Amino acid sequence: MIFAKQALLGEVWAEDVRLTVQDGMIASVDVGAKPSAGDARVDTLLPALGNLHSHSFQRAMAGMTEYRKAGRDSFWTWRDLMYRFMDRLTPPQIEAIAALVFMEMQEAGYAAVGEFHYVHHQKGGARYGDIAELSHRIFAAASQTGIGLTHLPVLYTYGGAGQVALSEGQLRFGNSVDEFLALVDSAGAGLGDLPSDTQIGIAPHSLRATSPDDLQAVLAGHDSGPIHIHIAEQPKEVVDIEAWLGARPVDWLLNNASINRDWCLIHATHITDGETQAMAESGAVAGLCPITEANLGDGPFNGPTYLGAGGAFGVGSDSNVNISLTEELRTLEYSQRLRDLARNVMVAGEGSVGHTLYTGAALGGAQALGRNAGEIAAGRLADLVAIDSSDPSLCALAPDQILDGLVFTAKDNVVTDVWSAGRHMVKGGRHVARDSIVGTYRGAIADLLESI
Ligand code: ZN
């Protein structure tokens, strides 16, 4: 049982709300209720977001790539450094980093994560005894933290547009279609040990890292569940795909695959108004990663056109350079304001930007992760976050201003409690396994630095 002084139920605020949680689901919601002894009592209860895009291992190199050397740094120079760093990682280190990342996500208010998992092999590309060894490491990290996991094994076959061979730095990612399908099978066999809300999807890495035939082959073998793809993060990617396939990436994908609500298009950054409109109408989720997109110099999303067309969206922490739900949402809005020289951009018509961003990302994130979540209602998964509305950043605000306060003025430390499918993993602002997870992480990083 959870008792909240106030809670957001769908679009409406309610007071004195008591929830019954059973088998990870919200079984009942009573408004105007009285608390009972034994209830978990919280101040303000919200649906918790799913973080729809993460490469957990990149967390360990945060802060290492902000130094300018001769020449102009770009996404592509960052990627070279990332490849060199990644080459050192061992399976226990990958597990320890993922556990830290998942814990930090929960403490920031996320209940679930889509782990876009593309490091599969040993340095140089040698296979582990179980081709899905590193997927199982991600599962172990999810088990330690209790986060809701949507695991997204990545098909990464080519080094660039036009079926270019993998570079040395990419050999840990590479699989043929057959190997990839075997990897997904092996990973799927490990799901039995995990909570029933765990999902497995697929992720063709990008159009540049696959081919039209390979893409068709993996889609043909995929019955249902999330499909994620990086789509148009960089102008060079758009130019390369257009030269190879004769169309811009989003345009090509919409015309060559059955894009629907199962799909999540990550970094649809460089898209025309026509592509934006068509993508919104497809039902797919736009996977936006504003902090990483700012950090890498990717560019802003075409927000006003997309929202105007009713497009679904969610957010992801991607490179995990800084895991902050509040900063992720506010960076999304600020990227639009800086481009458009305007205020209150990410809302269609009139209304609260904070409410639009938070509730939109809650529903879109849940859709992208294949989770029956995103709002507080009976029959939904109990992905819940409680915040403290008496915090100085929020205490002056009426209920219908709280999400504006959360997005624009608060820090993540207003989060007091998080439940991932009913698992109460954050209490009093701390993850229940914080000390052991941080201790293991520090040990893993010391080993890693010694090896460099
Ligand atoms: Zn990514």
Side-chain angles (χ1 to χ4, degrees):
M1 297 286 197
I2 302 167
F3 181 85
K5 275 197 242 168
Q6 56 184 357
L8 183 64
L9 307 180
E11 294 286 309
V12 182
W13 285 98
E15 292 185 0
D16 298 328
V17 178
R18 193 156 184 256
L19 264 58
T20 314
V21 177
Q22 244 168 19
D23 299 329
M25 311 287 290
I26 300 170
S28 65
V29 181
D30 294 311
V31 176
K34 296 241 178 310
S36 288
D39 286 2
R41 294 180 69 159
V42 298
D43 180 90
T44 299
L45 195 65
L46 302 167
L49 265 61
N51 181 339
L52 57 66
H53 191 66
S54 161
H55 311 291
S56 55
F57 76 87
Q58 292 178 10
R59 175 73 179 132
M61 57 179 275
M64 293 182 182
T65 60
E66 312 299 333
Y67 182 94
R68 183 170 178 171
K69 291 189 184 162
R72 183 171 171 170
D73 277 330
S74 70
F75 170 88
W76 307 102
T77 57
W78 170 86
R79 194 180 72 158
D80 286 344
L81 280 165
M82 184 265 284
Y83 285 174
R84 269 186 271 152
F85 176 84
M86 180 271 307
D87 235 7
R88 306 283 176 171
L89 293 173
T90 65
Q93 290 162 358
I94 285 172
E95 179 180 330
I97 298 166
L100 182 92
V101 166
F102 295 165
M103 177 201 80
E104 289 185 333
M105 289 174 184
Q106 289 170 298
E107 289 186 346
Y110 293 109
V113 60
E115 178 67 16
F116 195 104
H117 175 75
Y118 63 91
V119 182
H120 300 300
H121 311 308
Q122 302 176 51
K123 183 178 180 184
R127 275 45 177 164
Y128 291 106
D130 179 343
I131 195 166
E133 165 71 24
L134 296 181
S135 289
H136 297 300
R137 295 292 180 160
I138 299 297
F139 292 171
S143 281
Q144 281 182 60
T145 56
I147 202 165
L149 176 68
T150 294
H151 188 56
L152 299 159
V154 170
L155 173 69
Y156 199 123
T157 312
Y158 304 106
Q163 297 177 251
V164 173
L166 295 174
S167 70
E168 200 182 335
Q170 296 166 327
L171 294 174
R172 293 192 77 173
F173 318 153
N175 281 310
S176 67
V177 169
D178 287 346
E179 284 177 310
F180 173 72
L181 296 175
L183 192 154
V184 173
D185 273 354
S186 173
L191 284 181
D193 302 331
L194 291 158
S196 60
D197 58 294
T198 313
Q199 305 271 325
I200 190 159
I202 58 168
H205 177 274
S206 54
L207 294 181
R208 64 187 146 85
T210 183
S211 72
D213 287 348
D214 289 357
L215 185 62
Q216 289 306 329
V218 294
L219 294 178
H222 182 72
D223 298 333
S224 64
I227 308 166
H228 289 216
I229 187 168
H230 292 128
I231 194 65
E233 182 169 8
Q234 284 283 322
K236 177 180 184 309
E237 184 174 21
V238 176
V239 169
D240 288 353
I241 294 297
E242 202 166 14
W244 176 36
L245 298 176
R248 300 168 61 88
V250 170
D251 191 19
W252 188 90
L253 188 70
L254 290 170
N255 285 308
N256 288 276
S258 305
I259 306 301
N260 56 32
R261 289 173 53 85
D262 284 341
W263 283 77
C264 181
L265 276 54
I266 308 292
H267 307 307
T269 308
H270 298 283
I271 56 178
T272 64
D273 280 346
E275 288 177 302
T276 308
Q277 189 83 27
M279 187 176 141
E281 287 166 8
S282 74
V285 176
L288 309 174
C289 310
I291 293 176
T292 298
E293 288 158 4
N295 183 270
L296 296 182
D298 289 341
F301 178 61
N302 187 359
T305 304
Y306 190 72
L307 276 193
F313 69 93
V315 293
S317 57
D318 192 5
S319 70
N320 297 307
V321 63
N322 189 336
I323 298 169
S324 168
L325 191 157
T326 56
E327 187 172 328
E328 204 72 72
L329 291 173
R330 92 175 63 103
T331 304
L332 172 55
E333 169 67 16
Y334 285 166
S335 67
Q336 307 291 305
R337 293 186 188 189
L338 286 165
R339 180 197 54 210
D340 293 351
L341 311 181
R343 300 192 71 251
N344 299 333
V345 179
M346 287 296 282
V347 57
E350 296 183 357
S352 152
V353 176
H355 184 94
T356 303
L357 289 176
Y358 193 92
T359 57
L363 289 168
Q367 180 186 325
L369 299 186
R371 290 176 78 79
N372 175 18
E375 62 177 6
I376 300 176
R380 296 275 199 176
L381 276 177
D383 282 356
L384 302 165
V385 56
I387 61 171
D388 176 12
S389 70
S390 71
D391 186 88
S393 62
L394 301 174
C395 67
L397 303 175
D400 63 359
Q401 296 172 314
I402 282 203
L403 292 176
D404 288 327
L406 180 65
V407 171
F408 292 104
T409 74
K411 301 208 169 17
D412 291 329
N413 63 6
V414 298
V415 171
T416 61
D417 297 78
V418 172
W419 288 262
S420 295
R423 299 179 291 277
H424 194 177
M425 303 313 298
V426 175
K427 299 179 181 177
R430 278 174 66 90
H431 193 282
V432 295
R434 167 171 260 282
D435 291 344
S436 70
I437 289 169
V438 172
T440 305
Y441 176 78
R442 288 205 175 107
I445 291 300
D447 291 347
L448 175 61
L449 294 177
E450 221 165 79
S451 75
I452 292 176

